[in-house]
Amino acid sequence: MSKVLIIGCGGVASVAIHKCCQISEVFSELCIASRTKSKCDKLAAELAPKTETKLTTAQVDADDVQQVIDLIRSYQPDLVMNIALPYQDLTIMDACLACGVNYMDTANYEPEDTADPEWRAIYEKRCRDAGFSAYFDYSWQWAYRQKFKKAGLTALLGCGFDPGVTQAYCAYAKKHEFDSIETIDILDCNGGDHGYAFATNFNPEVNLREVSAPGSYWENGRWIEIPAMSIKREYDFDQVGHKDMYLLHHEEIESLALNIPEVKRIRFFMTFGQSYLEHMRCLEDVGMLSTVPVEFEGQQIVPIKFLKALLPDPASLGPRTKGKTNIGCIFTGKKDGKDKTYYIYNVCDHQTCFHEVGSQAVSYTTGVPAMCGALMLLTGQWSQPGVYTVEEFDPDPFLKALDQYGLPRKESWDPVLVK
Ligand code: NDP
């Protein structure tokens, strides 16, 4: 029996809320709060006849710490699930600390305004010191470790699929399959087709910022940064087939390098079709991916926000998207002195997801792990105070929950390796 406050009511949150409502014995009361309350009301009205979970809704601007504090004080939840945007991570963490409530999210902090001079000075120093230039990194949220520990509270960071399940796969490989892991390749394949020439599967602003940035990987204790999309490989994915994939920077590489220090190389690859890449290059060339405001007819406009308004809403892709996703990790390493390889992954079908929860598989593969992470926290299976990423907890009950609630694992001990 627990009370949970979910902030955000977009593509991912909608799946997480559907799934929480399937386990009313744990998620007995849910408050859905977001910037646009009408979306929360619509979802609550749709779910109320089908669930025992008691649903309420609220309006909140999570950029404003005081508004989040007021909401938490009035609702008194056991856990706050932040499924809004990475921009709100720090304000919601501050509010949780002020109110003594556990916290979780699905993506690490990045600022909305990357031109802010105060943030920029810290960012530029981090680029020089750490060696990668992504706008997001863990330093902002890791800075809360002592505060959460002292308060006896848990903050779980990045509990979607990647980040999230991919780190649980790493913890599982380390616990059960290897004495030491040498390389990790994280492979994120979306074989789905929505029929549009160009659309993003989750928040366009966050997605386009991520994929248009330089790629990077971890090798022999340091970051190697490369121009965006300059390392391409082809892979034959189970139940999807041959796809081109590109090396990207991805947030879980940073925490995995810290938590599995023996690993010599960690890379992240994501599949993209030609049409997506051509559109993205063109939009970038004309400045439409910029986060810096421009003046247009007397108004300040942020190009990437304007582009978001033009693109299809990711939540609307559900009925149109056909095909499967395949996301997982390939490991090499040693067990009992012998070389070993291991591949653990999940295959998820867009239409099956749509028929279950009304969303495509990209939202589903993020929302289900968010619910399972909340389940771990609420049932005390993951509970030590502090700020943690998924690989720092026991992977076994989490992977069991994923198997049960819609994202079962598949395994291979003889995978084709990525060159
Ligand atoms: P959406 O844009 O669909 O939804 C975001 C939601 O947050 C909307 O309901 C939006 O409200 C709300 N929101 C935005 N700003 C505020 C604010 N200031 N106060 C309150 N609510 C706010 O995003 P997605 O559902 O696609 O993504 C959600 C999160 O999941 C993101 O952080 C994303 O990075 C992460 N993600 C993680 C993945 C993983 O595997 N780990 C994969 C995919 C996504 P409104 O309707 O008013 O705009």
Side-chain angles (χ1 to χ4, degrees):
M1 300 280 279
S2 50
K3 252 178 138 174
V4 175
L5 170 64
I6 297 192
I7 302 182
C9 190
V12 175
S14 159
V15 174
I17 294 161
H18 269 89
K19 298 304 280 192
C20 292
C21 286
Q22 292 176 5
I23 316 172
S24 302
E25 61 280 16
V26 176
F27 298 89
S28 41
E29 292 183 46
L30 272 190
C31 175
I32 312 168
S34 191
R35 191 167 50 184
T36 313
K37 185 170 174 285
S38 56
K39 289 192 194 168
C40 311
D41 292 336
K42 186 166 174 282
L43 182 60
E46 184 196 318
L47 286 167
K50 306 183 215 160
T51 180
E52 297 287 304
T53 301
K54 189 173 161 221
L55 294 166
T56 49
T57 62
Q59 199 278 329
V60 70
D61 178 357
D63 290 323
D64 180 344
V65 184
Q66 194 55 49
Q67 285 196 31
V68 185
I69 290 176
D70 292 345
L71 178 60
I72 295 175
R73 291 218 168 114
S74 74
Y75 188 64
Q76 301 275 317
D78 303 299
L79 170 69
V80 175
M81 295 174 73
N82 167 16
I83 321 186
L85 296 177
Y87 314 145
Q88 284 86 45
D89 288 2
L90 303 185
T91 46
I92 301 178
M93 286 177 89
D94 283 331
C96 284
L97 276 172
C99 300
V101 183
N102 294 324
Y103 167 90
M104 65 171 287
D105 64 35
T106 59
N108 68 9
Y109 174 70
E110 67 180 279
E112 185 157 17
D113 176 11
T114 53
D116 171 23
E118 203 180 314
W119 174 84
R120 199 122 204 131
I122 298 168
Y123 162 75
E124 279 167 11
K125 182 173 184 308
R126 192 269 285 156
C127 290
R128 285 193 301 274
D129 293 350
F132 67 93
S133 62
Y135 287 145
F136 50 87
D137 74 283
Y138 277 112
S139 63
W140 298 89
Q141 290 176 280
W142 281 342
Y144 283 70
R145 279 173 174 150
Q146 281 314 317
K147 289 186 204 165
F148 271 77
K149 205 171 251 173
K150 252 173 105 181
L153 298 172
T154 307
L156 171 62
L157 307 184
C159 196
F161 206 108
D162 45 341
V165 178
T166 49
Q167 287 137 292
Y169 285 166
C170 293
Y172 182 86
K174 174 93 184 141
K175 185 173 173 185
H176 297 286
E177 298 289 336
F178 292 93
D179 295 325
S180 70
I181 298 176
E182 273 161 28
T183 65
I184 304 173
D185 278 332
I186 304 168
L187 272 47
D188 179 334
C189 163
N190 181 4
D193 183 5
H194 44 58
Y196 287 117
F198 186 71
T200 63
N201 292 298
F202 67 97
N203 184 281
E205 200 181 324
V206 177
N207 181 226
L208 289 167
R209 273 195 194 192
E210 177 179 280
V211 301
S212 58
S216 61
Y217 58 100
W218 182 257
E219 193 167 52
N220 297 322
R222 66 188 185 96
W223 289 97
I224 313 237
E225 191 156 85
I226 54 154
M229 305 290 171
S230 60
I231 295 185
K232 174 183 164 187
R233 299 283 185 270
E234 196 196 295
Y235 200 79
D236 185 7
F237 289 92
D238 181 24
Q239 298 181 55
V240 175
H242 287 272
K243 288 276 168 197
D244 289 338
M245 59 184 192
Y246 296 82
L247 188 145
L248 297 186
H249 175 83
H250 224 247
E251 66 193 60
E252 65 265 52
I253 302 177
E254 196 188 353
S255 69
L256 288 168
L258 189 79
N259 292 317
I260 313 184
E262 81 265 19
V263 178
K264 294 199 178 79
R265 191 187 68 205
I266 313 172
R267 302 183 295 186
F268 180 97
F269 291 92
M270 191 177 274
T271 62
F272 294 101
Q274 274 315 305
S275 173
Y276 182 97
L277 291 179
E278 277 159 22
H279 279 80
M280 198 184 74
R281 262 184 215 126
C282 176
L283 290 165
E284 188 168 28
D285 287 348
V286 298
M288 281 302 286
L289 301 188
S290 171
T291 56
V292 180
V294 291
E295 192 167 315
F296 177 72
E297 297 188 348
Q299 277 197 3
Q300 292 285 312
I301 292 178
V302 177
I304 199 165
K305 283 191 186 294
F306 180 66
L307 175 64
K308 181 184 176 213
L310 298 177
L311 291 175
D313 178 358
S316 71
L317 300 178
R320 311 172 53 106
T321 309
K322 305 217 161 63
K324 289 178 177 161
T325 61
N326 176 326
I327 320 174
C329 304
I330 300 178
F331 302 91
T332 66
K334 294 241 183 311
K335 181 77 176 171
D336 301 326
K338 288 194 193 120
D339 287 339
K340 181 173 180 182
T341 57
Y342 175 63
Y343 188 12
I344 176 166
Y345 60 96
N346 164 264
V347 177
C348 190
D349 183 88
H350 286 285
Q351 282 294 299
T352 309
C353 297
F354 180 67
H355 289 119
E356 185 194 334
V357 297
S359 302
Q360 32 81 5
V362 175
S363 300
Y364 191 90
T365 53
T366 312
V368 172
M371 180 282 283
C372 291
L375 189 68
M376 296 298 106
L377 296 173
L378 294 168
T379 54
Q381 295 179 85
W382 289 359
S383 66
Q384 67 261 39
V387 175
Y388 298 99
T389 44
V390 169
E391 73 273 25
E392 295 180 86
F393 288 110
D394 182 2
D396 293 351
F398 183 63
L399 293 193
K400 203 170 150 213
L402 291 166
D403 288 343
Q404 186 179 352
Y405 294 113
L407 297 175
R409 74 193 101 171
K410 291 186 137 253
E411 295 169 282
S412 159
W413 286 266
D414 185 25
V416 174
L417 301 181
V418 180
K419 279 191 218 114

